[in-house]
Amino acid sequence: MRWLYRCPSCDRVYAIEPGRYLCDECGTRNKPGIPLEGVLECVWEKESGELPAGIPLPVEAEYFPPLPVGETPLWQPSRLREALGAPNLYLKDDTCNPSGSYKDRASWLVAAFAHKFGLKEIALASTGNAASSMACVGAAAGLKITVFLPASAPAAKRIQVLQYGAELREVQGTYDQAFDESLAYSAATGVLSRNTAYNPLTIEGKKTASFEIVRDLGTAPDHVFVPTGDGVILAGVIKGFEDLLRLGLTAKMPTFWAAQAEGSSAIARALATGGFEERPSDTLADSISVDVPRNGSFVLAKLRKYGGKGVTVSDEEILAAQRRLSSMSGLFAEPSSACAFACYLKAMPLIPRDESVVVMLTGSGLKDIKNAAKAVGAQLS
Ligand SMILES: [Zn+2]
């Protein structure tokens, strides 16, 4: 199998090698306050007659670090199904990844890439989950991890970073500022960047859940709800289904739903209005709180191509959905994931009862106890 990076805007191709992030041509259009231009995607060519062995990935299996990432369960929540009248509702539980979040899928691939090319350090900005994830995977792989994290990130995610032995650089500002500071660090030092969307492997690594879902269901579901901030998990999930279609492992694409908080809904708004406008983020769902969706342009094009939809909910709806999900299924997910469930509840009237729905739950509820306490009216000591 032959792998390359390809720019979906201009079709230029590049080798997958250290130092390559954006398209040389389209990346020149980047400026502050807009989604990244020139985000590359991984593309593969199969030799004729070659049979796919497992999930096609751009790094060979022997370079992946020794920890169990992915292969997460697909729940069939019978009490929820009954209460909602939704017999084909499934929950993809990525809270049980090693660091408690979906981001491990991307960190795993980036760490394998670093191993293959003999790179010893990875730097990144994060709202919290990508940082704790990269720190976790880096610990298993023996890599130095430097993270740029807003000081406002939930305590559990900061503590995870420190427990895993990564270097924590707190940024007195937003995720967007952390993003810029980490890029400046990588530019000055040559350290591999795992910034989400900027490094195309962060999208590619997130496709693996789609393969698991199709394997478990025997077909693609009719609908997939994905918590969406930067748009990278959504782009990864879509890429997975594109690969599955190409490999003949499914015959259809699901309807993709970009599930967003009202206070951080740039992608849903752009889907409705045609373009991105700058608006400061304001939501308690920290994992999907971004001023500028870095992968916005890339994922918007994909959503348009496949008839994807955007749906938004308030913070109150997120907290109510979080408690409902926990108490009716036994799955305690953080606010970003509860957002995907809340968006599903909102979109239910549009979905025929017999159609299958997968809600992606991407982070553990234990990662943000402050807001979870709010949801149940409890005081933290
Ligand atoms: Zn380009």
Side-chain angles (χ1 to χ4, degrees):
M1 203 167 250
R2 204 169 70 93
W3 285 87
L4 287 168
Y5 284 146
R6 188 180 68 89
C7 173
S9 302
C10 73
D11 275 339
R12 280 182 176 78
V13 293
Y14 303 93
I16 298 181
E17 60 188 9
R20 167 58 56 193
Y21 299 102
L22 303 177
C23 171
D24 285 342
E25 187 66 25
C26 302
T28 60
R29 296 200 295 267
N30 279 311
K31 54 181 189 215
I34 61 161
L36 280 174
E37 293 288 332
V39 173
L40 298 173
E41 62 182 342
C42 294
V43 292
W44 47 267
E45 286 302 329
K46 208 154 51 85
E47 308 293 330
S48 67
E50 188 185 358
L51 289 171
I55 303 172
L57 286 167
V59 180
E60 294 79 358
E62 70 252 38
Y63 297 110
F64 283 80
L67 77 172
V69 171
E71 291 299 338
T72 60
L74 191 64
W75 291 35
Q76 304 188 35
S78 55
R79 283 188 69 217
L80 252 190
R81 285 174 167 185
E82 205 169 306
L84 296 172
N88 293 314
L89 172 64
Y90 297 86
L91 307 173
K92 181 64 171 164
D93 177 14
D94 260 65
T95 71
C96 58
N97 273 304
S99 82
S101 104
Y102 195 96
K103 305 287 168 86
D104 292 354
R105 295 175 183 272
S107 300
W108 204 44
L109 178 58
V110 175
F113 174 87
H115 186 196
K116 178 175 176 173
F117 288 97
L119 309 174
K120 304 291 182 214
E121 183 181 350
I122 297 172
L124 75 158
S126 168
T127 63
N129 276 338
S132 51
S133 167
M134 194 68 249
C136 168
V137 175
L143 291 161
K144 177 173 191 249
I145 307 298
T146 304
V147 307
F148 295 78
L149 199 63
S152 60
K157 299 179 184 182
R158 287 208 312 278
I159 301 305
Q160 276 186 293
V161 166
L162 296 169
Q163 274 285 342
Y164 293 132
E167 183 175 331
L168 174 60
R169 301 200 181 188
E170 282 196 339
V171 176
Q172 300 303 320
T174 63
Y175 166 62
D176 301 82
Q177 284 162 287
F179 195 96
D180 293 340
E181 281 190 30
S182 83
L183 281 194
Y185 175 79
S186 280
T189 58
V191 163
L192 176 65
S193 172
R194 185 224 177 273
N195 274 11
T196 197
Y198 181 73
N199 183 330
L201 299 175
T202 59
I203 302 172
E204 190 69 9
K206 288 173 184 160
K207 77 181 183 184
T208 52
S210 305
F211 283 77
E212 296 165 20
I213 290 168
V214 166
R215 184 199 57 203
D216 291 350
L217 291 180
T219 179
D222 296 306
H223 304 270
V224 183
F225 284 77
V226 184
T228 302
D230 264 323
V232 176
I233 293 183
L234 180 55
V237 168
I238 293 174
K239 176 67 193 314
F241 283 100
E242 288 177 328
D243 278 6
L244 285 154
L245 204 60
R246 241 184 106 186
L247 291 165
L249 296 172
T250 181
K252 64 170 186 188
M253 292 296 262
T255 300
F256 300 104
W257 296 79
Q260 297 209 281
E262 275 169 10
S264 180
S265 56
I267 291 171
R269 288 202 311 272
L271 202 53
T273 63
F276 289 99
E277 49 171 303
E278 206 176 346
R279 193 187 291 179
S281 167
D282 181 20
T283 173
L284 56 74
D286 63 290
S287 304
I288 50 171
S289 175
V290 298
D291 293 348
V292 181
R294 300 289 160 176
N295 208 31
S297 302
F298 183 104
V299 83
L300 187 63
K302 296 281 187 194
L303 286 170
R304 289 205 174 114
K305 182 173 177 185
Y306 297 114
K309 299 176 191 301
V311 55
T312 64
V313 287
S314 67
D315 281 1
E316 292 71 31
E317 289 172 297
I318 290 172
L319 291 182
Q322 183 185 37
R323 188 177 185 182
R324 192 169 181 190
L325 180 67
S326 302
S327 61
M328 292 295 289
S329 74
L331 208 166
F332 177 28
E334 69 169 359
S336 69
S337 304
C339 174
F341 181 59
C343 286
Y344 162 64
L345 295 177
K346 193 165 189 175
M348 267 191 82
L350 304 172
I351 298 175
R353 190 174 183 276
D354 61 336
E355 293 192 347
S356 55
V357 176
V358 173
V359 178
M360 312 286 289
L361 300 169
T362 52
S364 163
L366 293 173
K367 282 173 167 277
D368 182 3
I369 285 301
K370 204 170 95 200
N371 282 309
K374 218 184 274 177
V376 292
Q379 297 288 325
L380 284 182
S381 55

